[in-house]
Amino acid sequence: PSGVSSLSSRLLEEFRQQARPKLLVPATLISMSLSVTSAVRAFLSGRLLDIAVKTPMAPLSALAPVAGLYFAAALYGYVANVVQGIL
């Protein structure tokens, strides 16, 4: 037990030394926005499938607006993951 408490206190001290409080808020906001982006992408995937199933021979113009939004959400997710990794 004393070894566990000394290990946990040492890890806590190392965390405090390396912590950057000014980056906590941006990292939290990015993490929350990634959750929202995942939900949006899931919704858009459903919409794309709905359009494809309802009109099997639909022209690409019917899918383009939803596909464009999906691509934008996926691109944002990628960039946000990179930024979060840097932070």
Side-chain angles (χ1 to χ4, degrees):
S2 66
V4 172
S5 64
S6 66
L7 176 63
S8 60
S9 63
R10 184 174 59 103
L11 289 174
L12 188 59
E13 183 60 33
E14 286 181 15
F15 175 75
R16 285 183 181 154
Q17 288 174 358
Q18 294 180 2
R20 296 186 179 120
K22 292 181 181 179
L23 298 179
L24 182 63
V25 171
T28 303
L29 291 175
I30 289 172
S31 179
M32 289 170 33
S33 70
L34 282 172
S35 300
V36 171
T37 303
S38 295
V40 167
R41 286 175 43 204
F43 171 77
L44 292 174
S45 294
R47 291 295 303 139
L48 283 170
L49 287 173
D50 285 345
I51 292 170
V53 167
K54 286 181 183 176
T55 52
M57 301 301 285
L60 288 178
S61 62
L63 298 173
V66 179
L69 288 173
Y70 183 89
F71 177 75
L75 185 62
Y76 172 79
Y78 173 76
V79 171
N81 275 324
V82 171
V83 170
Q84 190 176 30
I86 292 170
L87 290 179

